[in-house]
Amino acid sequence: MNIRTIALPAVLILTAVLIPLCALAAPAPDVSDATADCLGCHEMTSPGIVADWRAGAHAATTPQKALEKEGNALMVSSDSVPDELKGVAVGCAECHTTAPDDHADTFDHNGYQVHMVVTPEDCAVCHAKERTQYKDNIMSHAYANLDENPLYQSFALAVNGRPTVKDDKLALSAASQATDAQSCYYCHGTKLEVTGTAARDTFMGEMDFPVIKGWPNNGVGRVNPDGSLGSCAACHTRHAFKISEARKPYTCKQCHDGPDVPAYKVYSTSKHGNIYSARNANWDFNAVPWTLGADFKAPTCAACHMSLLVSPDGQTIAERSHAVMDRLPWRILGLVYAHPQPKSPDTTKIRNADGQPLPTTLAGQPAAEFLIDKKTMDERKERMQATCRGCHATSWVDGHWSRFMDTIEATNESVAASTALMTRLWEQGRADPANIFDEYLEKVWTDTWFFYASHVRFTSAMAGGGDYGVFADGRYFFKQATTELAKEAGVETTSGQ
Amino acid sequence: MNIRTIALPAVLILTAVLIPLCALAAPAPDVSDATADCLGCHEMTSPGIVADWRAGAHAATTPQKALEKEGNALMVSSDSVPDELKGVAVGCAECHTTAPDDHADTFDHNGYQVHMVVTPEDCAVCHAKERTQYKDNIMSHAYANLDENPLYQSFALAVNGRPTVKDDKLALSAASQATDAQSCYYCHGTKLEVTGTAARDTFMGEMDFPVIKGWPNNGVGRVNPDGSLGSCAACHTRHAFKISEARKPYTCKQCHDGPDVPAYKVYSTSKHGNIYSARNANWDFNAVPWTLGADFKAPTCAACHMSLLVSPDGQTIAERSHAVMDRLPWRILGLVYAHPQPKSPDTTKIRNADGQPLPTTLAGQPAAEFLIDKKTMDERKERMQATCRGCHATSWVDGHWSRFMDTIEATNESVAASTALMTRLWEQGRADPANIFDEYLEKVWTDTWFFYASHVRFTSAMAGGGDYGVFADGRYFFKQATTELAKEAGVETTSGQ
Amino acid sequence: MNIRTIALPAVLILTAVLIPLCALAAPAPDVSDATADCLGCHEMTSPGIVADWRAGAHAATTPQKALEKEGNALMVSSDSVPDELKGVAVGCAECHTTAPDDHADTFDHNGYQVHMVVTPEDCAVCHAKERTQYKDNIMSHAYANLDENPLYQSFALAVNGRPTVKDDKLALSAASQATDAQSCYYCHGTKLEVTGTAARDTFMGEMDFPVIKGWPNNGVGRVNPDGSLGSCAACHTRHAFKISEARKPYTCKQCHDGPDVPAYKVYSTSKHGNIYSARNANWDFNAVPWTLGADFKAPTCAACHMSLLVSPDGQTIAERSHAVMDRLPWRILGLVYAHPQPKSPDTTKIRNADGQPLPTTLAGQPAAEFLIDKKTMDERKERMQATCRGCHATSWVDGHWSRFMDTIEATNESVAASTALMTRLWEQGRADPANIFDEYLEKVWTDTWFFYASHVRFTSAMAGGGDYGVFADGRYFFKQATTELAKEAGVETTSGQ
C-alpha cells in the first residue's frame, strides 16, 4: 500500500471537512475606535451583553460585506450605508450614538453622546425597508391603540385597578404605572419619557445617567425618546440579534401564549409544532433566504407570517414582510367579534354604528368603512395560502380554509348568544353597564369572546384542532360560561337536533 | 519524524471518522418510473412534500433491503412484498396508486390511477403486523365509538352546539360538520366520503380532483374511502414517516394535552419528562430495536406504551405493539369512573346495568361483561411493569403501583360524591337530566370526572405527582367543583378527621 | 505538489480535531470490588440504572482526581475523602453501603450491608459544603413545615380529603397516605419509615428486602431512614447526577409549574426563557465554574438562584449556594401575603399576632420577629442583582426592581380586599371559618392569593410580564375571583379614576 496514494484523497476529504470549521473561525472585523472605547470598560462591567454581541452577526461582519450579498440573500435593505459605518463591525457606538440630537435620552458618557434606548430609526440606517414596513404594522401602534381607546381604559381599570372594600362597595381605582407597565404595556410597549438625570457611583467614579419613565421595556409599540414607535428588540433580542431566534416560535410565545392570544399553545400542540419540536435541531434557522423543504420541514410562526420563503429551486414562495398583517385577512383576537383587519394600523379612529370605539357593534355589525375590503382580504388570503401550498395540495388547503371560514361564522354566532344573555343581565339590573367589564358576570361574558372564541379560532386558523378547539379553553368552556350567564339570567338551556 | 509513520494511523483514524459521514451520504435507491413521473411535477408544485419524503427512510431504502434486516432490527413485518415494489424506493406512486379499485377516491391523474387518501391498507403492504394490531386497537374505532353512542351525541350537542337566545331559552342545535371535524373528530378521525369531482386550474391546465367530505383529516380512527379505519399519519407524519418523530412525546401531545387527557402535560412535568427534556438531544431515536440505557435514558410515551425495547445485552424487555392497550389494564380517562379496559375495541355495544351506553353506571357499578377480566388485567400490568423494571427496582415499582391502585379507588369515590350531588340537583329540578351535559351545573359536574379526576389519575399513573396531582387541575379543583355543586344543592360542607 | 508538505499540517490539524474525540473516550476508572459485585447482577436486572450511572461523572472519575481540581473548578467540597474511596469510581457500593449502622433500611444483600435510600449524609462524604448549606435551606424542612402546621392540616383536608355525601352534608375525612404522598408530599417529601421486611423471588432465589412506608419518593424535604432531611436526587437525578440536568429549567419545573408556584411557566414565556429555548443547544451546561456569556447567554433557574457564576475574565459574579433563599429577600408564594423570608428554615414555630401559624395575619400584618430584617433583605437583594448586572445595565436592574416592589405592595393590597370580602362572607354566615379552606367560597378566596397573586408576583420578579401577569391566571382572574366574592357578599363593584 502506498501511503501517498491514500494520503492525497484523504487530505482532500479532510480539507473539505475542515474548511467549514475554519470558516466559523473567520476573524471578526475591526471595530470602530468608539466601539473599542465602549468595550474597554463594558467587557468587564457588562460581560453578558458584550459576549452576546460577539455571538451575533453584527460583530462578525460589516455593512460593506453585507451589501455585497445579492438578491434574496441580501439582509441590508437600505440603498446605501454611511461611509464611516461601512468598514467596521456594527458595535456599541454604531447603534447607541447615531443621530444624537434626535434622541431625548442622549447623555454625555466619557465624551461620547450616547443614548440608552436604541430605536427603529437607529436600525433603519441599514434596515430601511423593514423599518418602513413595521411603521405600517398595527404592532407599532400598540401603545396608542390601547391608551387612546376609552373602552380600553374601562377594561384596564377592571383588570388592573386597585381594589378597596369600603361602605358595601368594592371600588377599583387607577393602577400604578408600574402595574400597567407589567401587564398590557409589557407587550404593547410603554411610553418612554426622560424625566431627569441621576448620578450613580461607578468604578469610574460618579457619573450621570438619564432617568427614563417607562424603562425598561421592549414592547412592540414602545413610544421612544426619539418619537419613533416600536422596539426591534421585541423579537430580535439584544445583543446578538440572531435571525435564528426570531424565526423560532419561543419569540412569539412571549406575547402570544395567554388565553387571549393562544397562538403558541395551539402551535405547539399542532402537527406543525409536533414536527418542529421533534426535528428542528437539524434545521437551518440562519439561512437567508429560507428554503422550504431544505432548511426546514415544518413552519414556525415566522415562516407563515413574515419570512421570505423560497423553494429548493429558488422560486420565491413568500416575500419577507415586517407588516405582519400582510398575510392576514381576518382579525380573530382581542375584540368581541372576528372581523376583517382594520385598514389603518392606527385603530383609535374606529367607531362602530353605536358610536363605540370598536370594529363591530356589540351585536356584531362590522364598522365596514374602517376595515379592509374583500379584494384586500383575498390578496392577503392568497399570500397566506401560497405558503400553505408549499407543503400541502390545493384540496387540503381549500378544505382547511373553508373550515376556518365556518369557524369565524360559528364563533361570531356563539358570541352573539353570550352577548344577548349579558344584555339581558344588564337590562335586569344584575350588572351595571357603566363599565361593561368590571363586575363578575361581565367577566364571565368577557371570557366567552376574549378567551374561548379566541382559542376556537386559533385552533381553526392553525389546523391545531383537537384539544384547544374543544376542552383546553375551547368550545367546552365557551359553552360553560354561556350557560353560567343563562343560569344567572334565569334563561333555560335546552338542546336538541 | 517520519511523516509516513504518522500519516498511516492518522489516515486509518480519519477513515474511521469519515465512514459514518459517507454512510449518511449513501446514494438514494432508484425510484419507480411512476414515482419519477410524480416527482417531475410535484418537486416543483409541492416542494415541501417532496423534500420531506426525501428526508425519510422510504426514499433512502427499498423493501428488498429492509427485508434483509434480521430479528429485532426488522422493520418490515409482512412476510413478503410484491416483486415490483421490492427494488425501488417507497415513493409517491407506491403508496398513492396501490389497489386503485379499493379506494373510492381513486381518480385519473395524468394517466395514473391515484388516490388522495393513503390508508392503513396501503401501509400494510409492507407493515402487515402493525396494521393487524392497529385494527384491534381501540384507537382505530375512535370514530364510531363516539358517533354511534347516544350519550356522546348529547355531549357533543352540549359542547359544540350552535346557541341561540330566544323566548327565554338558550337553545343548542346541531353543530356544522366543520365544527365537529375541528373538535372531537379532529383526533378521533372524520368519516371521509367522496361526494363528487371538481375541476381546478393547474399549471398543466384544468384537471379533475375528487371532492372528499371530511378532508383533510388524520385522526386515529378516520373512516377511509376504502372502508378501513385509522390513519397511520396521525403519528407517523407524512411524508418523512420518521420513527424518531413517533417516539418523541410531541406526537402524542397533539391529542393528549388537554384537560380531558393531560398525558403530555403530566409527562413533561414528571421526572421522566425532566430527564427527556434535558438530555434527549444526545439520544438515538432511530435505532431499531431501541436499547434502553444505551439509546435513551428515560422513557417517552412510545417507550412505555408501544415500542420494542431491548436491554444492552439484547434481551427483549417489551414487544412492539400498535394495540396501545396491550400494556394497559385500566381505562382512566374520558368516562365517569376509572374501570377495566373494554374487551372489544368497538365500544358501541356496551350497556351498563341502567341500560346506558357507558362502561359503569352513574353510581359506579362496572358493566363487567364488556370489560377485561382480572387475568387479562394482570397480564397487561406485567407487560407494563417489565418496562418499569428496566430502570427501577421492584420495590420502587410495587410502591408506585399500589399508589396508582389507591388513586383509582379514591378518585372513583370522589366522583361518586360529586355525582351524588348532581343527582340531588336533578331531583331538586335545578337541572334537567334530559341532556345530562348541557346546563351550567351539569358542566361543573362534568369537570369533576372528565378533567380533574383525569389529572389526578394521570399524575398517579405516570409518577408525575406534584402540580398536576394537586393544584394544576388536580385535587384542589376537583374539590372546588364538588363544593360548588354542594353550595348550589344546599348541602353543607364539613371537614374533620 | 509534495504530499509530505501537505500531509504534515493536515495531520497536525487532524490531531487537534481528534484529541477532543479521544478525550471523550478516556477509559473509565476502576470500580471497587463491592461495586463490581453489584454490577455483576444489576447490569442485567437493572440495565437502565447501570447505563445511566455509566453516563455520569461518578463513573468517569474518582474522588482523588476530582480533588485535584482547583479554585472555582473544584466540585468536591469535603476537605478530605476516606482513603478507601479515593481511587475508585463512585459506584453502587460507595453510596449504598456507606455508614450502614446509621441507615434503618440497611439489609443484608448477598453479604453486603446495603441501604436502599441514599441520603444527603451519604452524598456529604464528598460534598460536605452543599450538604451543610442544604440543611439550612427551607426546602430541607419541607415535610415538617407542612405536617406540623395545623392550618396546613385544614388545607390538606380541604384539598385531599375523601368526600362522602350523607344526610345533607358533604363530609371530608382524612385522605389516605397514598393520596398525600402523591400530592403535597410528592414535592415536599414523604416521611420514610421501615416497617418490616418482605421476601421476594429473584433470579437469585428468594431474598429479603426492607419494606419502607412512604417509598418511593424524592421530595426536597424527605425524612430519611437515617434521620436526615431531603433528597439530593430531587434535582440531581439518579443515577447519572448530571450537573447539566440540574442547571436546566425542566428540573425545577417538576415542582414549580403549577398555579401555586408558576415559576417555570413564567420563565418559559419570558425573554430569558425565549433565549434559552432558542439557543441552549449550543451552550455548555457542564462547565465548572459556569461562565456567563461564554458558557451560556441567558440564565436558567439555577443561574439566578444557586450556581457559581464567573465572568469571562474569571471574576466571581455569584457564589454557589444550595440554600436557595440566599439570593431571595422576599417570599412571594404559598402564603396569604408576600412577606420577608423567614429567619429559620423551620417555620413551624411562627405565630402571627392572632396566634395563627402564619407569617402574617389575615389582615396582612407581618410576624416580624420570625422574619429576616431589612439588612439581611438588602444583602440578599444585592446578591441577586449582582447576577442581573452580568447582562443588564444598572438602570435596567433598578427599574425592574422598583416594579417588583410595586407589585408586592399592589398584590398585598389586592389580597387585603379579597380577604375583606371573605371576612364579610364569614360574618354573614355564608361560610363557616371552622376550616377556612373547605367550602366553595373559601376556595374562590384561596384562588386569589394562592394562585393569582402568585402569578402576578412571579411575572414581576422574573420580568416575564405580559401573559401571566394579566390574562394567564394573572390580574384578570385575580379580579374575576374578587368580584365573584363581592357578588356573593352583596357588595357592589364600582370603578372610576
Side-chain angles (χ1 to χ4, degrees):
Chain A
M1 189 167 69
N2 183 331
I3 174 64
R4 293 190 185 183
T5 57
I6 294 174
L8 185 56
V11 167
L12 292 179
I13 293 168
L14 178 67
T15 309
V17 170
L18 292 178
I19 279 176
L21 293 174
C22 298
L24 289 175
D30 288 342
V31 298
S32 64
D33 292 345
T35 289
D37 272 3
C38 303
L39 293 173
C41 294
H42 283 282
E43 188 102 49
M44 189 174 51
T45 60
S46 316
I49 294 176
V50 173
D52 200 36
W53 169 74
R54 287 200 197 285
H58 282 169
T61 191
T62 63
Q64 180 65 50
K65 280 187 212 153
L67 280 163
E68 287 161 13
K69 299 276 174 91
E70 286 180 4
N72 277 337
L74 189 65
M75 300 276 295
V76 170
S77 62
S78 300
D79 292 334
S80 66
V81 172
D83 281 344
E84 67 272 21
L85 298 177
K86 273 189 178 163
V88 291
V90 183
C92 322
E94 283 62 38
C95 300
H96 280 278
T97 65
T98 323
D101 295 344
D102 295 347
H103 293 266
D105 58 332
T106 294
F107 65 112
D108 184 277
H109 189 55
N110 281 328
Y112 290 100
Q113 296 300 302
V114 172
H115 55 272
M116 284 171 63
V117 183
V118 174
T119 75
E121 291 300 334
D122 298 323
C123 303
V125 171
C126 294
H127 304 288
K129 192 171 171 184
E130 286 69 34
R131 193 271 171 284
T132 304
Q133 289 172 338
Y134 194 74
K135 233 183 209 167
D136 258 359
N137 180 5
I138 196 167
M139 284 187 171
S140 67
H141 291 258
Y143 175 81
N145 283 351
L146 289 193
D147 192 61
E148 298 179 16
N149 185 317
L151 268 178
Y152 165 73
Q153 296 296 347
S154 296
F155 189 55
L157 200 54
V159 173
N160 291 343
R162 308 173 75 134
T164 47
V165 178
K166 209 161 43 175
D167 306 335
D168 275 324
K169 292 233 161 48
L170 171 66
L172 304 176
S173 58
S176 68
Q177 286 186 331
T179 291
D180 288 341
Q182 293 176 95
S183 55
C184 310
Y185 294 124
Y186 177 82
C187 287
H188 277 249
T190 55
K191 184 172 189 173
L192 301 183
E193 292 177 275
V194 179
T195 57
T197 294
R200 207 156 59 218
D201 278 331
T202 76
F203 86 112
M204 299 276 287
E206 191 177 283
M207 296 177 104
D208 282 336
F209 296 90
V211 175
I212 304 178
K213 200 171 97 179
W215 187 250
N217 179 268
N218 276 314
V220 293
R222 192 181 63 198
V223 181
N224 295 308
D226 66 352
S228 65
L229 301 178
S231 165
C232 302
C235 304
H236 300 278
T237 312
R238 305 154 313 128
H239 282 93
F241 307 101
K242 287 191 167 292
I243 195 170
S244 60
E245 194 179 310
R247 281 170 169 177
K248 291 188 179 178
Y250 321 110
T251 295
C252 308
K253 178 182 177 178
Q254 284 184 248
C255 290
H256 299 299
D257 196 35
D260 51 327
V261 193
Y264 179 80
K265 287 189 294 192
V266 169
Y267 173 76
S268 75
T269 310
S270 73
K271 182 57 94 180
H272 288 161
N274 167 17
I275 304 172
Y276 167 81
S277 296
R279 298 169 60 188
N280 83 82
N282 298 316
W283 298 351
D284 186 346
F285 287 89
N286 288 302
V288 175
W290 214 17
T291 303
L292 182 155
D295 296 326
F296 66 98
K297 310 289 186 189
T300 63
C301 315
C304 292
H305 290 284
M306 302 189 76
S307 296
L308 166 64
L309 302 183
V310 302
S311 66
D313 61 357
Q315 301 298 311
T316 300
I317 290 175
E319 301 282 355
R320 180 184 295 124
S321 173
H322 279 66
V324 291
M325 65 287 183
D326 273 2
R327 303 180 200 167
L328 292 178
W330 291 93
R331 188 149 59 146
I332 61 174
L333 62 90
L335 290 146
V336 186
Y337 295 91
H339 57 277
Q341 289 281 342
K343 280 181 187 165
S344 166
D346 172 0
T347 62
T348 59
K349 307 290 183 295
I350 294 176
R351 290 296 177 278
N352 67 17
D354 297 331
Q356 294 164 307
L358 290 174
T360 69
T361 63
L362 287 186
Q365 183 196 337
E369 65 179 295
F370 298 99
L371 310 178
I372 60 173
D373 59 18
K374 184 159 182 323
K375 181 166 166 293
T376 307
M377 293 180 81
D378 285 346
E379 288 162 3
R380 295 185 180 189
K381 178 176 89 167
E382 173 50 29
R383 277 195 288 268
M384 177 60 89
Q385 291 194 347
T387 71
C388 305
R389 287 192 303 262
C391 296
H392 292 284
T394 301
S395 59
W396 181 289
V397 176
D398 290 350
H400 165 70
W401 199 271
S402 79
R403 284 180 187 159
F404 178 43
M405 291 303 96
D406 188 272
T407 293
I408 285 184
E409 192 186 323
T411 52
N412 279 354
E413 198 178 83
S414 293
V415 168
S418 66
T419 305
L421 293 167
M422 188 67 233
T423 303
R424 198 168 291 223
L425 287 161
W426 282 320
E427 290 166 0
Q428 292 171 349
R430 295 291 309 284
D432 177 358
N435 179 335
I436 62 174
F437 302 115
D438 67 347
E439 294 172 72
Y440 175 69
L441 294 172
E442 292 164 335
K443 287 176 198 294
V444 174
W445 166 66
T446 305
D447 292 347
T448 64
W449 52 268
F450 198 54
F451 295 155
Y452 305 137
S454 195
H455 277 79
V456 174
R457 291 177 195 137
F458 271 87
T459 54
S460 184
M462 295 162 66
D467 281 330
Y468 288 100
V470 199
F471 300 120
D473 286 344
R475 290 171 177 90
Y476 177 91
F477 284 101
F478 199 157
K479 216 53 65 66
Q480 188 169 50
T482 304
T483 55
E484 183 174 0
L485 294 175
K487 171 175 173 288
E488 291 287 332
V491 167
E492 187 189 350
T493 300
T494 66
S495 59
Q497 297 298 326
Chain B
M1 191 168 69
N2 183 332
I3 175 65
R4 293 188 185 184
T5 57
I6 294 174
L8 185 58
V11 167
L12 293 179
I13 293 168
L14 179 67
T15 309
V17 171
L18 292 179
I19 280 176
L21 294 173
C22 297
L24 288 174
D30 287 342
V31 297
S32 64
D33 292 346
T35 290
D37 271 3
C38 303
L39 292 172
C41 294
H42 283 280
E43 188 102 49
M44 189 174 51
T45 61
S46 317
I49 295 177
V50 173
D52 200 37
W53 168 74
R54 286 199 196 286
H58 282 169
T61 191
T62 63
Q64 180 64 51
K65 280 187 211 152
L67 280 163
E68 288 161 12
K69 299 276 174 92
E70 286 179 5
N72 277 337
L74 189 65
M75 301 277 294
V76 170
S77 62
S78 301
D79 292 334
S80 66
V81 171
D83 282 343
E84 66 273 21
L85 297 177
K86 273 189 179 162
V88 292
V90 183
C92 322
E94 283 62 38
C95 300
H96 280 277
T97 66
T98 324
D101 295 344
D102 296 347
H103 294 265
D105 57 332
T106 294
F107 65 111
D108 185 277
H109 188 55
N110 281 330
Y112 290 100
Q113 295 301 302
V114 171
H115 56 271
M116 283 170 64
V117 182
V118 173
T119 75
E121 291 300 334
D122 299 323
C123 303
V125 171
C126 295
H127 304 287
K129 192 169 171 185
E130 287 69 33
R131 193 273 170 283
T132 304
Q133 289 172 339
Y134 194 74
K135 233 182 207 166
D136 258 359
N137 181 4
I138 196 168
M139 284 186 171
S140 68
H141 292 257
Y143 175 81
N145 283 351
L146 289 193
D147 191 61
E148 298 179 16
N149 185 317
L151 268 179
Y152 165 73
Q153 296 296 347
S154 297
F155 190 54
L157 201 54
V159 173
N160 291 341
R162 306 172 77 135
T164 46
V165 177
K166 210 162 39 177
D167 306 334
D168 276 322
K169 291 233 161 51
L170 170 66
L172 304 175
S173 58
S176 67
Q177 286 186 330
T179 291
D180 288 341
Q182 293 176 94
S183 54
C184 309
Y185 294 125
Y186 177 81
C187 286
H188 277 249
T190 55
K191 184 172 188 174
L192 300 182
E193 292 177 276
V194 179
T195 57
T197 294
R200 206 157 58 219
D201 279 331
T202 76
F203 87 111
M204 300 276 287
E206 190 177 282
M207 296 178 101
D208 282 337
F209 297 90
V211 176
I212 304 178
K213 200 170 96 179
W215 187 250
N217 180 267
N218 277 314
V220 294
R222 193 181 63 197
V223 181
N224 296 309
D226 66 352
S228 66
L229 300 178
S231 164
C232 302
C235 305
H236 299 279
T237 312
R238 307 150 314 128
H239 284 93
F241 307 101
K242 287 190 167 293
I243 195 171
S244 60
E245 195 179 309
R247 282 171 168 175
K248 291 188 180 178
Y250 321 110
T251 295
C252 308
K253 178 183 177 177
Q254 283 184 248
C255 290
H256 299 300
D257 195 35
D260 50 327
V261 194
Y264 178 82
K265 285 190 295 192
V266 169
Y267 172 76
S268 74
T269 309
S270 73
K271 182 58 94 181
H272 288 160
N274 168 16
I275 303 172
Y276 167 81
S277 296
R279 297 169 61 187
N280 83 81
N282 299 316
W283 298 351
D284 186 347
F285 288 88
N286 287 304
V288 176
W290 213 17
T291 304
L292 182 154
D295 295 327
F296 65 98
K297 311 288 186 190
T300 63
C301 315
C304 292
H305 291 285
M306 304 188 76
S307 296
L308 165 64
L309 301 184
V310 302
S311 66
D313 61 356
Q315 301 298 310
T316 299
I317 290 175
E319 300 282 355
R320 181 183 295 124
S321 173
H322 278 67
V324 291
M325 66 285 184
D326 273 2
R327 304 181 200 166
L328 292 177
W330 291 93
R331 188 150 58 146
I332 61 174
L333 61 90
L335 290 144
V336 186
Y337 295 91
H339 56 277
Q341 289 281 342
K343 280 181 188 165
S344 165
D346 172 1
T347 62
T348 60
K349 307 288 184 295
I350 295 175
R351 290 295 176 278
N352 67 17
D354 297 331
Q356 295 163 307
L358 289 174
T360 69
T361 62
L362 287 186
Q365 184 196 338
E369 67 178 293
F370 298 98
L371 309 178
I372 61 173
D373 59 17
K374 184 161 183 323
K375 181 165 165 293
T376 308
M377 292 179 81
D378 285 345
E379 289 163 2
R380 294 185 180 189
K381 179 176 87 166
E382 173 51 29
R383 278 196 288 268
M384 177 59 88
Q385 291 194 348
T387 71
C388 305
R389 288 193 301 264
C391 296
H392 293 284
T394 302
S395 59
W396 182 289
V397 176
D398 289 350
H400 166 71
W401 200 271
S402 79
R403 285 182 186 158
F404 178 43
M405 290 303 96
D406 188 273
T407 293
I408 286 184
E409 192 186 323
T411 53
N412 279 355
E413 197 178 84
S414 293
V415 168
S418 66
T419 305
L421 293 167
M422 189 67 235
T423 303
R424 197 167 292 223
L425 287 161
W426 281 320
E427 289 166 359
Q428 293 170 351
R430 296 292 308 282
D432 176 0
N435 179 334
I436 62 174
F437 303 114
D438 67 346
E439 294 172 71
Y440 174 69
L441 294 172
E442 292 165 334
K443 288 175 198 295
V444 174
W445 166 66
T446 304
D447 292 346
T448 65
W449 53 267
F450 197 54
F451 296 153
Y452 306 137
S454 196
H455 277 78
V456 173
R457 291 177 194 137
F458 271 87
T459 54
S460 184
M462 296 162 67
D467 281 331
Y468 288 101
V470 200
F471 300 121
D473 285 345
R475 290 171 177 91
Y476 177 91
F477 285 102
F478 199 157
K479 217 53 65 67
Q480 187 170 51
T482 304
T483 55
E484 183 174 359
L485 294 175
K487 171 175 171 288
E488 292 286 332
V491 167
E492 187 188 351
T493 300
T494 66
S495 58
Q497 296 298 324
Chain C
M1 190 167 70
N2 184 330
I3 174 66
R4 294 189 183 183
T5 57
I6 294 174
L8 185 56
V11 167
L12 293 179
I13 293 168
L14 179 67
T15 309
V17 171
L18 292 179
I19 280 176
L21 294 174
C22 298
L24 288 175
D30 287 342
V31 298
S32 65
D33 292 345
T35 290
D37 272 3
C38 303
L39 293 172
C41 294
H42 282 281
E43 188 102 49
M44 189 174 51
T45 61
S46 316
I49 294 177
V50 173
D52 200 36
W53 168 75
R54 286 199 197 286
H58 283 169
T61 192
T62 64
Q64 179 66 51
K65 279 188 212 153
L67 279 163
E68 288 161 11
K69 298 277 175 92
E70 287 179 6
N72 278 337
L74 189 64
M75 301 277 295
V76 171
S77 62
S78 301
D79 292 335
S80 66
V81 172
D83 282 344
E84 66 273 22
L85 298 177
K86 272 189 179 163
V88 292
V90 183
C92 321
E94 283 62 38
C95 300
H96 281 277
T97 66
T98 323
D101 295 344
D102 296 346
H103 293 266
D105 57 332
T106 295
F107 64 111
D108 185 276
H109 188 54
N110 282 329
Y112 290 100
Q113 297 300 301
V114 171
H115 54 272
M116 282 171 64
V117 182
V118 174
T119 75
E121 291 300 334
D122 299 322
C123 303
V125 171
C126 295
H127 304 288
K129 192 170 172 186
E130 287 68 33
R131 194 272 171 283
T132 303
Q133 290 172 338
Y134 193 73
K135 233 182 208 168
D136 258 359
N137 181 6
I138 196 167
M139 285 187 171
S140 68
H141 291 257
Y143 176 81
N145 283 351
L146 290 193
D147 192 60
E148 297 179 18
N149 185 317
L151 268 178
Y152 165 74
Q153 297 295 348
S154 297
F155 190 55
L157 201 55
V159 173
N160 292 342
R162 307 172 76 134
T164 46
V165 176
K166 210 161 40 177
D167 306 333
D168 276 323
K169 291 234 160 49
L170 170 66
L172 304 176
S173 58
S176 67
Q177 285 186 332
T179 291
D180 288 341
Q182 294 176 93
S183 53
C184 310
Y185 294 126
Y186 177 82
C187 286
H188 277 249
T190 56
K191 185 173 189 172
L192 301 182
E193 293 177 274
V194 179
T195 58
T197 294
R200 206 156 59 220
D201 278 331
T202 76
F203 86 112
M204 299 276 286
E206 190 177 282
M207 298 178 102
D208 282 335
F209 297 88
V211 175
I212 305 178
K213 200 172 94 178
W215 186 250
N217 180 267
N218 277 313
V220 293
R222 193 181 64 198
V223 180
N224 295 309
D226 65 353
S228 66
L229 301 177
S231 165
C232 303
C235 305
H236 300 278
T237 312
R238 305 153 313 128
H239 284 91
F241 307 100
K242 287 191 167 292
I243 195 170
S244 60
E245 195 178 310
R247 282 171 168 175
K248 291 188 180 178
Y250 322 110
T251 296
C252 308
K253 178 183 177 175
Q254 283 185 246
C255 290
H256 299 299
D257 195 36
D260 51 327
V261 194
Y264 179 80
K265 286 189 294 191
V266 169
Y267 173 75
S268 75
T269 310
S270 74
K271 181 58 93 180
H272 288 161
N274 167 17
I275 303 172
Y276 168 81
S277 297
R279 297 170 60 188
N280 83 81
N282 299 316
W283 298 351
D284 186 346
F285 288 89
N286 288 303
V288 175
W290 213 17
T291 304
L292 180 156
D295 295 327
F296 65 99
K297 311 288 186 190
T300 63
C301 315
C304 292
H305 290 285
M306 303 189 76
S307 296
L308 166 62
L309 302 184
V310 303
S311 66
D313 60 356
Q315 301 299 309
T316 300
I317 290 175
E319 300 283 356
R320 179 184 295 124
S321 174
H322 279 66
V324 291
M325 66 286 184
D326 273 2
R327 304 181 199 166
L328 293 177
W330 291 94
R331 188 149 58 146
I332 60 172
L333 61 90
L335 290 145
V336 185
Y337 295 90
H339 56 277
Q341 289 281 343
K343 280 181 187 164
S344 166
D346 172 0
T347 62
T348 59
K349 307 289 183 295
I350 294 175
R351 291 295 176 278
N352 67 18
D354 298 331
Q356 295 163 306
L358 290 173
T360 68
T361 62
L362 287 186
Q365 184 195 337
E369 65 178 297
F370 298 98
L371 310 179
I372 60 172
D373 59 17
K374 184 161 182 321
K375 179 166 166 293
T376 308
M377 293 179 80
D378 285 346
E379 288 163 4
R380 295 184 179 189
K381 178 177 89 166
E382 173 49 31
R383 278 196 287 268
M384 177 59 88
Q385 291 194 348
T387 71
C388 304
R389 287 193 302 265
C391 296
H392 292 284
T394 301
S395 59
W396 182 290
V397 176
D398 289 350
H400 165 70
W401 199 271
S402 79
R403 284 180 187 160
F404 178 42
M405 290 303 96
D406 188 272
T407 293
I408 286 184
E409 192 186 323
T411 52
N412 278 356
E413 196 178 84
S414 292
V415 168
S418 66
T419 305
L421 293 167
M422 189 66 234
T423 303
R424 198 168 290 222
L425 287 161
W426 281 321
E427 290 166 359
Q428 293 171 350
R430 296 291 308 282
D432 176 359
N435 180 334
I436 62 174
F437 303 114
D438 68 346
E439 295 172 72
Y440 175 69
L441 294 172
E442 292 165 334
K443 288 176 196 295
V444 174
W445 166 67
T446 304
D447 292 347
T448 65
W449 53 268
F450 197 54
F451 296 155
Y452 306 136
S454 196
H455 277 78
V456 173
R457 291 178 195 137
F458 271 86
T459 53
S460 184
M462 295 162 67
D467 281 330
Y468 287 101
V470 199
F471 299 120
D473 285 345
R475 290 172 177 91
Y476 178 90
F477 285 102
F478 199 157
K479 217 52 66 66
Q480 188 170 51
T482 304
T483 55
E484 183 174 0
L485 294 176
K487 171 176 172 289
E488 292 286 332
V491 167
E492 187 189 350
T493 300
T494 65
S495 57
Q497 296 298 324

